[in-house]
Amino acid sequence: MAPIKRKSDPGPDTLPSKRPKKESIDTKKTVKGTAAKDAGPGKSSTVNDRQTKPSVLREEEVSFPRGGASLLTPLEHKQIQIEATRDVLFEQNSSKKAKGVLSDEEDYSEIRTTSEQQSSTKKKPKSKRSNGEAKGAKEYTGVRIEGLSYKRLVPGSVVLGQVSQINEHDVALALPNNLTGYIPSTSISEKITSRIEAIVASDNDENSSVGGSMEQKDIDLKALFTVGQYLRAYVTSTSDELSYSGAKSKRHIRLSIDPRQANVGLSKSEMVVNNMVQASVISVEDHGLVLDLGLGDKSLKGFMSSKEVGHNVDHTTIEEGAVFLCMVTGLSSNGGIVKLSADTQKAGNVKKTNFLANAPTVDAFLPGTAVEFLVADVTPTGVAGKVMGMIDVTADLMHSGASNHNQNNERKFEIGSKVKGRIICTFPTVEPRKLGISLLDHVLSLTTKSAATGKASQPSVEVLPLSTIVEAAKIAKVEPGVGLFVDCGATGARGFVHISRVTDGKIETLSETTGAYKLGSTHRARVTGYNAMDGLFLLSMEQKILDQPFLRIEDVQVGSVVKGKIEKLIVNETGVRGVLVNLAEGITGLVPETHLADIHLQHPEKKFKEGMSVTGRVLSRDLIKRQLRLTLKKTLVNTEDAVWSKYEDIAPSSRSPGTLVNILPTGAVVQFYGNVRAFLPVSEMSEAYIQEPKQHFRIGQVVNVHAISIDPENQKMIVSCRDPTAFSVAQQAALKNLKAGDIVNGVVIEKSINDIVVELQDSKLKAIITRGHLADGSEQKSASTMKVIRVGQKLKDLLVLDKNEKKRFITLTNKSSMVKAANAGHLLTRFEDVRQGERVEGFVKNITSSGVFVQFGGGLTGLLLKRHLPDDTIQLPDFGMRRQQSISTMILSVDHQQKRFLLSLQDMDKSKPMPSSTKEGFSADRAVTNAVDVEMGGIDDLQIGKLTKAKITSVKDTQINVQLADNIQGRIDVSQLFDSWDDIKDRKHPTRSFTTKQILPVRILGVHDARNHRFLPVSHRTGRTPVFELSGKPIDQKTSALEVLTLDQVQVGSNWVAYVNNISDECIWVNLSPNVRGRVRLMDVSDDISLLNDLKGNFPTGSALKVHVTGVDLNSSRLDLSARSANSSGLLSFESLSKGMVVPGRITKVTERQLMIQLSDTVSGPVNLIDLADDYSQANPTTHSKNEIVRVCVTDVDTPNKRLNLSTRPSRVLNSSLPVKDPEISTIAQLKVNDLVRGFVKSVADNGVFVNLGANITAYIRISDLSDSFIKDWKIHFQVDQLVKGKVIAVDPLLNHIQMSLKASVIDKKYTPPITFNDIKKGQVITGKVRKVEDFGVFIVVDGSSNVSGLCHRSEMADQRVDDVKKLYDEGDVVKAKVLKVDSEKRRINFGLKASYVQQDDGKESDADSDDENLEAMEGVEINGVDSEDDMNGADGGIDLGNTQDIDENREIVQALDDDSVELQAVLPKTEFAGLSTGGFDWTGGLFDQDDHRTRSEPDDETPEMPRKKKKKKPQIKIDRTGDLDAHGPQSVADFERLLLGQPDSSYLWLRYMAFQLQLSEVPKAREIAERAIRSINIREEVEKMNVWIALLNLENTYGSDETVEEVFKRACQYNDPQEIHERLISIYIQSGKNEKADELFQAMIKKFSQAPKIWINYATFLSDTLASPDRARALLPRAMQSLPQYAHLELTSKFAQLEFRSPNGDPERGRTIFEGLLGTFPKRLDLWNVLLDLEIKQGDKEQVRRLFGRVTSSKLKSRKAKFFFKRWLDYEEKQGDKKSIENVKARAAEYVRQQEAETG
């Protein structure tokens, strides 16, 4: 039989055959060690040898078996077997897989036995057949049995899976052959996707001011799926997630169960009985579920009866969007509805029925469907067959059951027999069509595989949870080179051990008969995984896995003690913030800083080192984030108390240690283990009284507590630190028997300023008496009583006011009035004792603006309203009362339903009936005054529908305020003024057609409820002066029946006139009537988009709109409207959008990378940088703002994935003919080599830069292509979203690869290459920078060169001898030098820096005549220090030793030149400095002028000892070295020193010098410069010296310690004004955030300089603004007034009052009170009036400002001053008021003039 060629792409793991071509055997192997599996082109697939049963023909009819025996000899068989084994071992050795948990890469779908490898490599020789034999039988090609693997799983594959894990945002699906896929929440169903989009949209609406959208319910995937549920999945993508840690890549399979994809290929004709189809729930009905099948025919729906949902499943609990794998049970009569069943008991019963025997097309056979197939071939590792005689199906080793050692496939399945199986996968890339099938029982029955440890049977994964150690795993089957199949000790629990997991070391092969792992041997193993589809455990026998304490984070129990090694110290700018501890491989826990030790460690890095072993305890575990928190506190680790990790396990009175995580004034929050927290009240912190918990406890402290009360349902608990044994049983009983109103005796045991603690006799209970409860009468009486009380004193006849058993808190009083009432039995302690009309004794608990709360015994409180107080006390502050004051009141009324009662201070007349609480307030019989409608009787006449008249009092944008009478107010909403749209004349301001005092006919609608913005029936009047809701519509005056619009009357599609109420970020709120409100989306406000960018200007409040209703939701009272035309108001959806559409959108989010544009409620998309503008340099998203309306063009629509790309390019939105600087690049075909393009940096990787050129086009730039010059740290020059320009240097369309270059030499045609060594010529003058400074000279880098550098010896630096090079030059100095020598062999360059070199070069171009004249004029003068020839050579021809270098110096130069090559790395130029600077030292002259000065100071008659030829010396010209400074200022130490020669008193120069040193991190040098400056600056320059002192303080504050700051501060105070130094240091502290030090210094200042008002004011401002402690600031005022003289009090008090207004933490009301006191004392101080007016105007309270102007103008003022205030008042009203207020001011001014004229006349 001729070999059959099978098409297959050669994979990267296939190896070339080692067989000669003459042999008919193919021995290619894959990495897994399989033979002839993934064959390349031309590879043959042979039939099995004689050991394999004959196969059948392609048709189902019985065919004759093919005869003949193998022509290979036994020797050839042996050779083939040896070679196949050797190839397998070779490829296993070359594999670089890292050992780990069995992953997709180690799937066992590739398992094949040696015999099968042998048979697959055989190839039957060709033989001649007779013509009759050729005609009598059709040729058959055997189907290769293969299982599902990651390589065969391609996008488009359809697989059957079982839900194994449900996460927060995705669902894990177990697939055949140890594969796992993930279903994201966006790939479940169309309904779920819509819900997710609605949630995203609602997040944008949550900030709406009113009427926000209905709250969307979050999606809970656990409510949609169950573990073990079977689903059909569509593979959307497979990817390898790269790992940078050196481990193997992690494979990720992304799935979709959306019926639109899972039912691929199905149509209405395939909806036959017993076929399996996937469906999603559209709606839940009373009798079942309506399902979406995801087919092309939208009219075809599915229905599942409530009885078919499943056993014990309530269909009403199923959520919309849930997905089920259903069996078709029939069709409706009209064929429009498919009847479905999701009952797995029914669908899984395939013994007789419920399998698909016939189908109209082969497309009906999809995974999940049960079929009956004809067995065509059987091997030890699988079964092959045909369905309907057309489709090949194969069951591999796992799913044929061959992995079970008890099963022999060749015995169980006979060729030609019919077997039932369930389809589990498709192979889209295989031709002809082939399907994967499973014969496993649990897959056929659609159940979860179970196992049994005895009689009980349960799911396998529950029998052997992950990480379980199997003590005796018995080897049941051996697959050499692959792994072991074992029995795990439980019935039905089988496991697989991959060969890489057998032992810690490497094992070459396995054998069934020999070795440690032969059949029947037992070993210890550990469960590392489980696949529900295969029903197989994954095990490991490696000793390191067995010894590992944890395999996964779930194994780590909260509260358990663990051991580990420190992996890393987490360090930030504040120090060590935590420690990472490695507990096991892949499991790391975090130890926060507060849990490193029981005490706070100043230097944790000294105690903890990486690799150090530690013992800790697990604090909490987050399985979603995969995080562990540990503690190393010995108190927690070594405790033997119970671990509190669940509220349910905690018993009252049990003890446990906890950690304080938050300290409040009322207590502290204690953290235990897991999520268990408790509250520790301040009263339970200690036996002693604690006023401020933060003074006794700190965050992170461990406290031992016991539980007082636990509420597991609400997860609340209260704990106590107090000793439970200190409160005995007798005391508990005494506290329980103690009642409010009891009289007790006690002994004072503690005394504080405001209260005393008393120990009750007999019971030894502790109680408290506040100072106000010591006596009746005035506060002074209580204070005097407090003074005479001593600790140990016995107090008798104390009254128990209240008790709190939970807190063991008892309150007593010594007020005689209440004690007498208690003795007489009249003290109120319960509400049942309250009797109307009785007089009761109590005390003032609280005082408010509306009344006084009076407390009695047992916490009982009554209300004394303001109107029930005497008239003479109403105007007094706090009504003339104080807290805890004794008071005797009369019970006025009692409300038994609400358990409230009112009090009165006045005795009631018993003859008068008591006023009822229901009659208080509005009186229906009250008469009206000056009614507008003369026919109006009383208020009782005003009923709904009543026609009357009203007078307009004011006109607002949204309403008109009217009067029905002087004492009856009303309002007319703008929606109740016009009958129709045409009646509105001014549609922007409809109410402007009405004027004040106009009389309107109105109709009463009800009573206005201002709180809820609606109106009520007239019977619901709630106040003394109700406001009536009225209608001014003309039509309402004519009709007899009054119809008030309600929301249920509004229908979708109806048209209305709406009026703008307010504008929010998301929509415009409008009113259709006073109580019907709706919203108009910003995009639906108008068809004209240009109007939307100025909504407040184009649609002001009150403006009218014509709208139509788009949606009504009565449950949530939501009304959606649109003001766009009916044709253009349709909502955009993904289906209605198309590429190229230009639509308006609203910006919902602005980032530096993109804009998010919302087109409708369900559609939104991004505008990326490349789509923002046609010129990328103008692409800046931040120029746009949120909620801005823009026009966008749709560039791409991905409807299945709900994705959208938009563009705001003018060439797309406006006109395609507009110029485009950066064209759009949508495909790689648009790019060609040498194209210049621009793009934005997408990412910066270690190997280069990736640049985004288009929507899906990314270019790669290698590091070598980034720049022409070497850049050491190149990453800092590139940032994400940076605009770059480059040239395309390579394009590969097949690989979709683009390569660019940013080199200037590649991009710029006029590029000038850098200077190289060969370009340097002798005599050339260059500019450069000093790279390095040595004692023998400096190294100079030539500007504009490729790092060419050379040496300038110190002998060539100046015309005179240089002793110290480092005083002249520093690294980075810019210099001009001349090339003296170029050594090409050694590649060395010598430079000269002498001024004569540069001047000679510059002077060559000067005029020759001018030079001659200069020389003549300077006869006898030496220029540039150049002596005559005789001077240079000496009279005796000797050598000038001063210019000669010694041998050692020359060696230094040679060594330096050898160490530093000429071609060096580029040195970045130093940036120009600015800021803090300081400098100065005693500089007496230039370096070169010192010798000259000494020479000139010597007498002329003195001659040197050295014999010289005496010649007349020419006078030497001094060169001004400071003229050579750089134009940008001093750049080196030498430059500063030269400048300081001329300006030694300039603090500015000294400070710059200090800053220069600080930029070099030379802090000690900066200090030295500051000290030199202080010594050098003239003593008369006090300001200049002060500047240096302040700079030195700043320096020490930033870089020094507290001691150095204190030392400099003391010295500065000695030499300068101490007060000013104090103030400057405080400013430094505040600017650097050291507020505590500033506070301490302020406190010292107010003691030393208490006579300076400025200091008190500054301190108060600091306390109020910076420390947010206004109470401390206010406390300064009385202290300051005691220290300052009398004349300064007024100004000081005024400043403190102003601070209340200006400070963000101030109280303007307190400021007003202070000013009122000042004005009451100094009414003629007009400056105070002016200051107060300024402050009130800034506050913005118009009425307050007007009252203040009225007061000042009504006082007695002179004409000039009165004119000033009236003029100011008028200016204010012109800016802030209206015509009426302006007229009021003018009228007051005229009245003042008349009064003045009358007085003078």
Side-chain angles (χ1 to χ4, degrees), residues 847 976 1399:
I847 303 172
Q976 300 298 313
Q1399 289 179 352

Side-chain angles (χ1 to χ4, degrees), residues 1629-1656:
Y1629 279 152
I1630 295 174
Q1631 291 172 5
S1632 59
K1634 298 180 180 180
N1635 294 330
E1636 293 181 359
K1637 293 186 177 295
D1639 192 7
E1640 294 174 2
L1641 197 54
F1642 259 126
Q1643 293 180 21
M1645 279 192 71
I1646 60 176
K1647 294 178 181 178
K1648 291 183 180 180
F1649 313 105
S1650 60
Q1651 297 298 313
K1654 176 183 175 183
I1655 295 173
W1656 294 97

Side-chain angles (χ1 to χ4, degrees), residues 9-62:
D9 294 329
D13 298 329
T14 57
L15 297 175
S17 174
K18 299 181 181 180
R19 281 275 185 194
K21 292 185 179 179
K22 63 181 180 180
E23 295 185 19
S24 302
I25 299 172
D26 193 348
T27 58
K28 291 186 179 181
K29 304 289 187 285
T30 63
V31 179
K32 305 292 182 186
T34 59
K37 192 157 190 179
D38 293 326
K43 196 164 193 175
S44 62
S45 175
T46 64
V47 295
N48 297 327
D49 60 3
R50 59 190 172 206
Q51 296 177 357
T52 307
K53 291 187 177 182
S55 59
V56 296
L57 299 178
R58 285 188 177 274
E59 292 77 18
E60 279 192 12
E61 290 82 0
V62 178

Side-chain angles (χ1 to χ4, degrees), residues 1532-1543:
S1532 65
V1533 173
D1535 292 345
F1536 278 105
E1537 299 292 357
R1538 291 180 210 139
L1539 288 177
L1540 288 171
L1541 285 174
Q1543 306 175 58

Side-chain angles (χ1 to χ4, degrees), residues 613-643:
S613 298
V614 293
T615 301
R617 192 182 285 269
V618 182
L619 283 175
S620 63
R621 182 182 67 183
D622 190 337
L623 297 180
I624 297 177
K625 296 182 179 179
R626 316 300 294 176
Q627 293 176 351
L628 289 175
R629 287 178 67 251
L630 311 175
T631 180
L632 300 182
K633 291 178 179 287
K634 299 299 181 184
T635 311
L636 296 179
V637 175
N638 300 330
T639 183
E640 296 181 358
D641 291 330
V643 173

Side-chain angles (χ1 to χ4, degrees), residues 83 123 398 595 766 852 860 962 1284 1624 1635:
E83 186 172 355
K123 182 177 180 181
M398 286 307 309
H595 280 275
K766 294 181 177 59
V852 178
L860 191 64
V962 299
V1284 295
R1624 294 296 186 93
N1635 294 330

Side-chain angles (χ1 to χ4, degrees), residues 1593 1604-1613 1621-1622 1625 1641:
L1593 283 172
T1604 58
V1605 173
E1606 186 67 20
E1607 189 267 337
V1608 174
F1609 172 68
K1610 291 179 179 178
R1611 290 174 53 206
C1613 290
I1621 293 296
H1622 277 77
L1625 183 56
L1641 197 54

Side-chain angles (χ1 to χ4, degrees), residues 1745-1759:
V1745 174
R1746 290 185 178 117
R1747 283 196 295 270
L1748 199 57
F1749 270 118
R1751 288 175 57 191
V1752 69
T1753 54
S1754 61
S1755 61
K1756 294 183 179 180
L1757 298 174
K1758 293 183 180 181
S1759 299

